[in-house]
Amino acid sequence: MAQVVMVTGVSRDAGARCARRLAEDPSIGTVIGVDVVPPRAELGRVRFVRADIRNPVIAKVIAAEDVDTVVHTGVVATPGSAGGRSSMKEINVIGTMQLLAACQKAPGVAKLVVKSSTTVYGAGPRDPAMFTEEMAPRAVHHHGLSKDAVEVEGYVRGFARRRPDVCVSTLRMANWIGPKTDSPMTRYFGLPVVPTVFGYDARLQFLHEDDGVEAIRRATVQDLPGTFNLAGDGVLSLSQAIRRLGRPTLRLPSFTASSTAAVVRRARLADFSPDQITFLTYGRGVDTTRMRSEFGFEPTYTTAEAFDDFRRSLGTGAMTRAAGLLTAGLGALRG
């Protein structure tokens, strides 16, 4: 019998792209996309249902549609896109709790795929060179997506214990990057002058947007239980990435980093949060051995190739006004 797949978070680009890709797979019968607002992007064969995963009514959607596979891409990365930090936490944590409660009560649900993030490991000065899936973060999560991701994965593990009959795949993905990805990270690299923290050179890994979509498709159509780090081969330092862009940097002392983030937010250039500043200070690396040996996935793009594909898509005209706003704001900071 063909799969009936429900994808959460389809009003955002990543969720919409994943839903469209799944709908194109001939082995999948029906793809239902759910979110609180209709998606701006065209969904093709995906059938959209307006529903809020924070509301118990999501259980009725699962039951009415005979959903057997749930793909959860509805975790929000930044407060600005959610309407504030409290709304972001409610969507991420409370929404996931309600979704998992609905899945637990649905006997027909046989598979759960969760789009998580390598941000669960945090970022700090005592981090190992590469995190494996068994390692715990060295830094304490106090705020933002890092804290939410840890809580979300905790609830997912609890669900897996309560429903051992369900195939649960947790995909810890490095930052998506590519020509179509609009995120705080891509906006940061799109700045005309790129602020960095003096004395630090973060290690970065990326996952090309096409590889991210394909990994979710693979987890959906195959039985691949477990937790997997997903990233393109290799590591780029922050300084190497900025040199590839050919853009100047503005080195700032660490005590002004949060103020710089506030300037960038006020100029509406990027929605930066404290945990993203920490990441751009210390960086993070993850081991992808299990991605190949157990998940059976080889990304098409390396970290450097994914970044270069994004770099080629950048234009200069759109950044002229941004340059003035950023320069004025940073000038006030330095003064």
Side-chain angles (χ1 to χ4, degrees):
M1 185 176 177
Q3 282 179 280
V4 178
V5 180
M6 185 181 80
V7 182
T8 67
V10 295
S11 70
R12 290 181 289 278
D13 180 67
R17 292 192 64 188
C18 291
R20 285 197 303 270
R21 179 67 183 90
L22 292 173
E24 293 168 358
D25 192 301
S27 67
I28 295 175
T30 304
V31 178
I32 301 156
V34 300
D35 216 322
V36 292
V37 295
R40 290 171 295 179
E42 174 58 46
L43 290 183
R45 289 181 50 238
V46 179
R47 183 154 56 86
F48 176 71
V49 174
R50 189 191 293 265
D52 190 341
I53 63 171
R54 294 170 292 181
N55 192 306
V57 74
I58 194 67
K60 295 182 180 179
V61 176
I62 292 173
E65 302 290 346
D66 292 324
V67 172
D68 56 56
T69 302
V70 174
V71 178
H72 184 30
T73 72
V75 174
V76 180
T78 56
S81 60
R85 173 58 188 145
S86 60
S87 295
M88 173 183 172
K89 185 175 181 64
E90 186 177 322
I91 293 169
N92 291 347
V93 179
I94 305 303
T96 299
M97 288 176 61
Q98 290 285 5
L99 178 67
L100 295 177
C103 291
Q104 185 174 335
K105 296 174 184 177
V109 171
K111 183 175 294 186
L112 171 68
V113 178
V114 178
K115 180 182 180 290
S116 187
S117 166
T118 56
T119 192
V120 296
Y121 299 114
R126 298 187 297 112
D127 286 351
M130 293 287 175
F131 279 101
T132 65
E133 288 85 351
E134 295 80 11
M135 290 181 176
R138 303 293 178 89
V140 178
H141 300 279
H142 293 293
H143 41 60
L145 179 61
S146 298
K147 188 174 189 298
D148 290 356
V150 170
E151 292 187 45
V152 165
E153 286 202 10
Y155 291 123
V156 171
R157 287 192 296 272
F159 169 80
R161 288 192 296 270
R162 292 188 297 272
R163 285 288 305 270
D165 57 311
V166 176
C167 176
V168 179
S169 301
T170 302
L171 309 184
R172 291 177 178 167
M173 297 184 164
N175 283 287
W176 282 29
I177 203 165
K180 298 178 182 177
T181 298
D182 181 14
S183 69
M185 189 62 60
T186 58
R187 291 189 180 191
Y188 168 76
F189 285 118
L191 293 173
V193 179
V194 185
T196 62
V197 180
F198 182 77
Y200 295 88
D201 196 9
R203 296 173 301 116
L204 309 176
Q205 287 175 308
F206 297 113
L207 184 66
H208 192 278
E209 56 196 24
D210 292 344
D211 287 326
V213 171
E214 175 57 25
I216 288 175
R217 187 203 66 82
R218 175 181 289 265
T220 303
V221 300
Q222 298 182 26
D223 289 339
L224 297 166
T227 300
F228 306 96
N229 292 333
L230 299 175
D233 276 353
V235 173
L236 276 179
S237 68
L238 181 57
S239 62
Q240 288 173 329
I242 295 172
R243 281 198 299 272
R244 286 172 180 257
L245 293 171
R247 295 192 173 170
T249 61
L250 181 63
R251 294 185 177 88
L252 297 169
S254 58
F255 63 83
T256 67
S258 59
S259 301
T260 302
V263 170
V264 172
R265 281 197 301 272
R266 283 197 298 271
R268 297 185 179 181
L269 301 177
D271 185 11
F272 262 42
S273 59
D275 57 331
Q276 289 162 333
I277 295 296
T278 304
F279 171 66
L280 289 169
T281 301
Y282 301 108
R284 180 172 50 244
V286 297
D287 181 273
T288 55
T289 301
R290 185 179 290 179
M291 174 185 74
R292 293 176 174 81
S293 62
E294 297 181 29
F295 194 67
F297 183 63
E298 183 72 44
T300 302
Y301 295 80
T302 66
T303 284
E305 289 169 347
F307 187 82
D308 285 343
D309 194 37
F310 157 74
R311 174 183 55 81
R312 286 189 290 269
S313 70
L314 288 177
T316 56
M319 300 311 297
T320 302
R321 185 182 69 87
L325 289 168
L326 183 63
T327 303
L330 294 178
L333 260 181
R334 301 178 86 178

